[in-house]
């Protein structure tokens, strides 16, 4: 069993390192002034896209488990979800720092004024309780049933995130739509699986 | 039973573990490199200074002595952005919707020979060769450039007032508007079909806006011929309006008596109006226009009415509701 433990630990390290690769490359590009003419916009966008990607990867775990019987994937879901939160924080810090000059009042009025910012902010705020309750201790404290119910927020925040992305582009909707399609498939699978479960078993 | 495995043939435990550890580290490194490669594919490095701006456009002969400013606002006192910044952050959807990718994508764009056809409600319609347009006296204009997306630059253009060209063709009394059209060639601009906007790109001005001394046809910047990505060989610059009004690579200018269609207005009428004057008090439906990010700075600046040209152009719109006519 020790080797199984070791393998799990190794795989977790692997996921952890790979999740940080984009950040390291951004730092490298930043140091070499390779982030283009408008680094603020570039960083904000990449952090946002990474946040959405980790949300979608997190949501892909359950369909993959059910469809291919890869139960072991569940062991990595928490870390992936926390990386979504991590990049979400970086996205928000970049926006508040550079776009809003660290002004809380300006940020709040921006949320009120701009619907797309409101969608993004709502999405981020929903990530917070999920990150807080990600520990084993919190899971036990809440009880599995309530914990699962709370973490259903991921469906709503993922949708809000994709809408947020869609609303900022001017005409080139390719990537927002791509994210939307992937999300629709991942959520659609759950609806489908739920329907399959609800069907009465056929009597022979 | 005879055991014929020699002790020397058994891998020592330590070596075995070392080998496994070595393979693991190799595997981890390989995975990280692969992730990095995927990331790099989607996010190529964007060095600001290595790609020279390419242009096949002929250069205008600039007067060695800069002209005295002919009109208020002709030369802002702000420090211009660098040539690299101006030529590596472009909205030119025919080539790419990625502002950082346009410079490279437009590198092979052929702009010679070039003809600008001026017709419609004029007494003397004429197809102007680019060479002839460059014979019109070129002036330097240092203008603020404000994009509808909320960023801005300061650009030292050279060119000539549009009025000079319109005077040559003599608009009729019935002419009220000027319509413009960008060159569109699917072979040279294969990305155009993914732009999400209808091409060829079209724009328009009211005749008095077109005749205003600040409205120029630009043929270059920084004393160099117009780079492809900035709208070679000839483009419109209307400094008090959002950047998208400054139509690039013009092939047609038509005088009309009705308000001409404009590309972004056709794409989203509630977001981009015909006038599109820079106005901090009229927000874009999806974002604020009250401030802007100067490229090269990290703090947003307040946006000025008519982009800082209110003294010169506000009279064009006296009595007009600018919220209605956005």
């Amino acid at each position: 069993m020790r080797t199984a433990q070791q393998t799990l630990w190794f795989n977790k390290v692997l996921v952890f390192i790979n999740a940080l690769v984009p950040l390291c490359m951004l730092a490298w590009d930043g140091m070499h002034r390779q982030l283009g003419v408008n680094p603020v916009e570039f960083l904000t966008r990449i952090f946002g896209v990474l946040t959405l990607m980790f949300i979608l990867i997190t949501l892909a775990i359950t369909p993959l488990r059910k469809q291919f019987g890869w139960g072991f994937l569940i062991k990595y879901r928490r870390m992936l979800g926390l990386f979504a939160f991590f990049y979400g924080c970086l996205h928000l810090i970049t926006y508040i720092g550079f776009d809003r000059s660290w002004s809380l009042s300006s940020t709040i009025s921006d949320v009120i004024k701009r619907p797309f910012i409101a969608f993004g902010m709502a999405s981020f705020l929903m990530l917070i309780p999920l990150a807080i309750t990600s520990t084993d201790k919190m899971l036990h404290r809440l009880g599995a049933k309530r914990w699962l119910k709370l973490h259903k927020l991921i469906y709503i925040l993922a949708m809000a995130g994709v809408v947020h992305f869609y609303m900022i582009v001017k005409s080139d909707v390719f990537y927002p739509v791509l994210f939307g399609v992937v999300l629709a498939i991942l959520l659609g699978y759950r609806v489908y699986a739920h329907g399959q479960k609800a069907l009465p078993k056929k009597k022979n | 039973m005879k055991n014929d495995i020699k002790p020397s043939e058994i891998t020592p435990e330590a070596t075995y573990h070392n080998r496994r550890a070595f393979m693991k580290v190799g595997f981890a490194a390989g995975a990280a490199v692969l992730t990095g490669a995927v990331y790099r594919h989607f996010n190529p490095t964007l060095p600001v200074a290595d790609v020279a701006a390419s242009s096949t456009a002929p250069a205008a002969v600039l007067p060695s002595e800069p002209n005295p400013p002919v009109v208020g606002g002709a030369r802002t006192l702000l420090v211009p952005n660098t040539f690299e910044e101006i030529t590596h952050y472009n909205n030119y959807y025919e080539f790419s919707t990625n502002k950082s990718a346009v410079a490279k994508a437009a590198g092979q764009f052929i702009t010679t020979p070039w003809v600008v056809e001026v017709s419609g409600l004029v007494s003397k319609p004429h197809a102007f060769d680019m060479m002839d347009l460059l014979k019109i006296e070129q002036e330097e204009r240092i203008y603020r450039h404000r994009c509808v997306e909320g960023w801005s630059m300061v650009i030292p253009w050279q060119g000539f007032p549009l009025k000079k060209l319109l005077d040559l063709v003599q608009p009729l009394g019935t002419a009220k508007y000027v319509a413009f059209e960008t060159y569109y060639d699917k072979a040279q601009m294969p990305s155009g079909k993914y732009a999400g906007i209808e091409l060829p790109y079209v724009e328009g001005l009211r005749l008095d806006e077109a005749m205003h001394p600040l409205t120029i046809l630009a043929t270059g910047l920084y004393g160099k011929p117009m780079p492809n990505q900035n709208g070679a060989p000839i483009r419109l610059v209307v400094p008090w309006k959002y950047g998208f009004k400054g139509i690039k690579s013009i092939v047609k200018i038509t005088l009309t008596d009705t308000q001409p269609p404009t590309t972004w207005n056709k794409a989203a009428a509630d977001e981009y109006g015909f006038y599109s004057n820079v106005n901090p008090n009229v927000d874009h439906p999806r974002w604020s226009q009250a401030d802007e990010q100067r490229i090269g700075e990290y703090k947003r600046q307040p946006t000025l009415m008519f982009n800082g040209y209110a003294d010169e152009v506000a009279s064009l719109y006296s009595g007009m509701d600018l919220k209605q006519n956005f």
Side-chain angles (χ1 to χ4, degrees):
Chain A
M1 251 6 261
R2 207 174 129 251
T3 52
Q5 276 295 325
Q6 276 179 341
T7 307
L8 175 65
W9 187 84
F10 172 75
N11 288 348
K12 278 191 171 174
V13 170
L14 206 61
V15 172
F16 187 85
I17 289 171
N18 280 283
L20 285 175
V21 164
L23 183 66
C24 296
M25 292 182 76
L26 278 168
W28 173 269
D29 285 349
M31 285 190 311
H32 291 77
R33 306 201 48 183
Q34 292 180 155
L35 293 175
V37 168
N38 192 348
V40 172
E41 184 224 31
F42 185 82
L43 279 177
T44 313
R45 186 161 41 89
I46 298 299
F47 285 147
V49 167
L50 285 167
T51 309
L52 273 179
M53 279 178 83
F54 277 100
I55 289 171
L56 291 182
I57 292 169
T58 310
L59 282 169
I61 301 274
T62 293
L64 291 172
R65 276 165 58 212
K66 288 192 173 159
Q67 205 55 37
F68 303 105
W70 297 342
F72 63 92
L73 284 174
I74 194 73
K75 297 189 171 81
Y76 311 102
R77 191 170 71 177
R78 176 188 341 208
M79 191 193 282
L80 291 163
L82 284 170
F83 268 109
F85 179 67
F86 172 71
Y87 280 114
C89 288
L90 291 175
H91 180 60
L92 192 74
I93 287 166
T94 317
Y95 157 72
I96 293 178
F98 291 110
D99 201 82
R100 296 293 111 198
S101 311
W102 300 112
S103 157
L104 193 65
S105 61
S106 154
T107 305
I108 291 166
S109 72
D110 206 30
V111 169
I112 294 163
K113 215 154 108 176
R114 302 199 269 175
F116 94 90
I117 294 283
F119 271 98
M121 197 59 83
S123 185
F124 179 81
L125 291 175
M126 283 184 255
L127 270 175
I128 296 171
L130 304 197
I132 291 172
T133 59
S134 65
T135 61
D136 286 340
K137 211 166 148 186
M138 287 302 283
L139 196 154
H140 287 303
R141 195 183 292 182
L142 280 169
K145 225 177 173 156
R146 280 164 70 204
W147 187 91
L148 281 169
K149 212 170 184 170
L150 172 68
H151 282 250
K152 290 243 188 313
L153 274 179
I154 190 80
Y155 305 148
I156 298 163
L157 75 85
M159 287 190 263
V162 170
V163 169
H164 167 69
F165 189 21
Y166 182 84
M167 284 174 84
I168 185 62
V169 297
K170 279 197 321 196
S171 76
D172 186 20
V173 295
F174 178 78
Y175 283 103
V177 167
L178 184 69
F179 277 69
V181 168
V182 172
L183 180 65
I185 292 166
L186 295 176
L187 296 184
Y189 177 86
R190 287 166 167 82
V191 175
Y192 160 82
H194 189 81
Q196 292 293 84
K197 241 187 352 199
L199 285 175
K201 289 229 163 62
K202 278 188 189 157
K203 287 195 177 107
N204 294 327
Chain B
M1 279 298 284
K2 191 182 162 222
N3 185 355
D4 49 11
I5 299 175
K6 294 180 200 141
S8 61
E9 287 175 24
I10 300 171
T11 313
E13 199 181 355
T15 311
Y16 170 79
H17 282 301
N18 280 343
R19 200 178 289 167
R20 274 190 63 94
F22 182 75
M23 276 162 64
K24 272 184 167 181
V25 170
F27 180 74
V33 167
L34 194 68
T35 305
V38 171
Y39 171 85
R40 183 52 86 216
H41 172 78
F42 285 102
N43 298 297
T45 53
L46 300 173
V48 177
D50 73 332
V51 194
S54 49
S55 177
T56 52
V61 182
L62 263 182
S64 51
E65 283 293 307
N67 295 295
V70 283
V71 56
R75 296 209 192 109
T76 174
L77 296 172
L78 295 170
V79 180
N81 281 82
T82 65
F83 184 77
E84 282 72 26
E85 285 168 338
I86 296 167
T87 54
H88 287 79
Y89 201 66
N90 315 94
N91 274 312
Y92 202 156
Y93 278 32
E94 286 84 341
F95 290 108
S96 172
T97 54
N98 175 349
K99 288 189 283 295
S100 304
V102 171
K104 203 171 168 189
Q108 304 302 312
F109 182 33
I110 299 160
T111 57
T112 45
W114 195 271
V115 175
V116 182
E117 199 184 315
V118 189
S119 62
L121 302 174
V122 296
S123 334
K124 297 182 177 173
H126 186 70
F128 291 88
D129 190 276
M130 195 59 215
M131 290 315 213
D132 296 331
L133 293 175
L134 288 170
K135 286 176 190 148
I136 299 171
E137 191 195 14
Q138 309 287 307
E139 302 170 22
E140 186 183 48
R141 296 291 177 93
I142 303 172
Y143 282 158
R144 303 157 183 277
H145 175 92
R146 169 66 156 80
C147 178
V148 74
E149 294 164 3
W151 55 269
S152 64
M153 288 186 185
V154 174
I155 305 177
W157 303 106
Q158 72 256 10
F160 56 89
L162 173 60
K163 182 180 187 301
K164 283 190 178 177
L165 181 69
L166 295 179
D167 286 346
L168 289 175
V169 295
Q170 296 171 11
L172 300 172
T174 46
K176 289 189 177 61
Y177 294 93
V178 187
F180 304 84
E181 190 176 300
T182 295
Y183 177 76
Y184 182 46
D185 172 2
K186 286 175 184 165
Q188 285 205 72
M189 301 161 163
S191 300
K193 56 179 174 292
Y194 309 113
I197 53 174
E198 199 185 323
L199 299 174
Y201 195 92
V202 291
E203 258 304 337
L205 294 172
R206 225 168 52 189
L207 187 57
D208 58 341
E209 294 175 324
M211 289 294 208
H212 192 280
L214 285 177
T215 304
I216 61 165
L217 287 172
T219 56
L221 55 92
Y222 262 110
K224 298 185 172 83
M226 187 65 76
N228 289 348
Q229 60 267 40
N230 296 85
I234 189 163
R235 68 167 288 170
L236 180 71
V237 178
V238 193
W240 69 93
K241 291 178 181 281
Y242 292 119
F244 68 85
K245 295 294 289 183
I247 183 169
K248 293 174 167 159
S249 309
I250 301 167
V251 286
K252 265 194 205 143
I253 299 177
T254 315
L255 283 97
T256 64
D257 53 1
T258 50
Q259 186 178 296
T262 59
T263 294
W264 278 103
N265 181 258
K266 282 192 289 183
D270 58 324
E271 299 188 1
Y272 311 98
F274 174 77
Y275 287 97
S276 289
N277 292 318
V278 176
N279 188 336
N281 312 312
V282 178
D283 286 342
H284 184 279
R286 289 183 283 137
W287 56 82
S288 161
Q289 296 292 25
D291 50 33
E292 63 199 60
Q293 196 203 344
R294 255 296 298 281
I295 298 300
E297 293 177 9
Y298 291 93
K299 207 172 168 338
R300 294 180 79 84
Q301 305 284 348
T303 290
L304 302 169
M305 188 66 202
F306 293 118
N307 203 23
Y309 299 94
D311 289 351
E312 291 80 21
V313 303
S315 58
L316 292 171
Y317 310 101
S318 56
M320 265 176 69
D321 181 344
L322 297 176
K323 276 199 166 65
Q324 288 289 307
N325 302 285
F326 61 94

